[in-house]
Amino acid sequence: MSVAASEEAPRRRAPSPPPDRLSLPAARRVALAAQGFARPRPAGRVHRGHLWRLVERLALLQLDFVNVLVPSHYLVPFSRLGPYDRRLLDRLAAGRDFTEQWAHEASLVPVEAWPLLAHRRAEFRARPWGFARFLDERPEYVARVLDEVRRRGPLSADELPEPEEGPTYLEHSWFGSPRRAVLETFFGRGVLAVTERRDFVRRYDLAERVVPAEHLARRVEPAAAERELLRRAARAAGV
């Protein structure tokens, strides 16, 4: 290229700084675009990679099995990607890249977020209300539940023995049985992790056998974890 031609080449402009204020319609467009609504739907069949990228973009996918048509979390990919095989999402949830955790509610999150939620797990309170008393009064049964999972591998509540003493059904609670509530307590505290879900039924295994070691061992100070979680939430909303 000649010197004259290079001198005539247009100069690159520095990117414009973001505006200090956005109109409400513009803010809506930014948020909707960040949530994946601005992209065209895949031209061909939706595959696992589409779902993987979508959940990564959203930072979490809240799981909600209360439904009229289908469980609500299946509608989230449909609204962005169009028709897809729901079993793909089930397999994604049971894989090694994502894990179920209590965020605002039960949610599918990238497995790398496991250490960011450690302070939430440390503060987890047994559910339903008052169940902590059962845990204190029946430590042998609580230990037995964990030992059953350790020895037998992934288990659901129905695959565990009932407590020999005390109630076998928890009234006024969607947990149903003490077996489920004990498993949920270990899950909420990070001792167990979910390996599979069939509607409301979870199967649990030791977290060390589900969560990759590099994420299981990583420690993040609560303040730093909160900042990173806030950053991810803001990014998912277009900030």
Side-chain angles (χ1 to χ4, degrees):
M1 180 182 293
S2 67
V3 175
S6 63
E7 290 178 350
E8 294 175 359
R11 295 181 179 179
R12 293 183 178 179
R13 295 182 178 180
S16 301
D20 294 330
R21 297 177 64 85
L22 287 176
S23 67
L24 193 56
R28 291 194 186 104
R29 289 195 295 271
V30 168
L32 289 171
Q35 287 283 301
F37 287 107
R39 296 188 174 188
R41 291 179 172 181
R45 178 178 297 180
V46 174
H47 55 70
R48 181 183 182 277
H50 293 119
L51 294 169
W52 191 98
R53 289 188 290 271
L54 176 62
V55 180
E56 277 281 331
R57 169 186 285 270
L58 299 178
L60 65 78
L61 178 62
Q62 181 175 322
L63 303 175
D64 187 354
F65 286 91
V66 178
N67 69 89
V68 175
L69 180 61
V70 295
S72 299
H73 53 276
Y74 290 118
L75 298 176
V76 176
F78 176 81
S79 65
R80 278 83 166 171
L81 304 174
Y84 70 100
D85 185 345
R86 298 204 308 266
R87 292 173 297 182
L88 289 173
L89 186 58
D90 296 336
R91 289 196 286 268
L92 190 74
R96 302 283 284 179
D97 295 326
F98 297 91
T99 187
E100 186 172 337
Q101 282 284 275
W102 284 106
H104 169 63
E105 297 291 347
S107 301
L108 190 65
V109 301
V111 71
E112 66 182 25
W114 176 273
L116 301 179
L117 297 166
H119 62 292
R120 299 283 300 275
R121 294 191 295 270
E123 298 172 354
F124 183 83
R125 295 183 179 182
R127 304 178 182 183
W129 184 87
F131 190 69
R133 182 177 177 180
F134 178 98
L135 300 175
D136 293 337
E137 293 178 348
R138 295 171 177 81
E140 297 84 1
Y141 178 75
V142 173
R144 182 183 178 186
V145 167
L146 188 60
D147 185 62
E148 290 280 335
V149 176
R150 182 181 293 110
R151 181 172 56 85
R152 297 166 56 191
L155 295 175
S156 66
D158 291 341
E159 297 172 290
L160 289 169
E162 296 276 11
E164 296 178 358
E165 299 179 359
T168 58
Y169 183 78
L170 301 176
E171 296 183 359
H172 312 298
S173 169
W174 57 270
F175 282 102
S177 72
R179 297 175 297 176
R180 169 79 184 274
V182 171
L183 287 170
E184 287 287 340
T185 299
F186 280 127
F187 166 60
R189 294 174 179 174
V191 179
L192 300 180
V194 175
T195 61
E196 183 185 10
R197 206 190 232 277
R198 296 179 181 176
D199 295 335
F200 282 104
V201 178
R202 288 170 168 149
R203 301 193 82 211
Y204 310 79
D205 199 358
L206 298 178
E208 63 201 55
R209 296 198 293 230
V210 178
V211 180
E214 65 268 27
H215 303 308
L216 192 70
R218 184 177 167 226
R219 299 291 180 264
V220 182
E221 290 297 322
E226 290 284 2
R227 284 195 298 271
E228 175 60 17
L229 290 170
L230 179 61
R231 187 189 69 81
R232 294 183 180 206
R235 183 185 62 191
V239 180

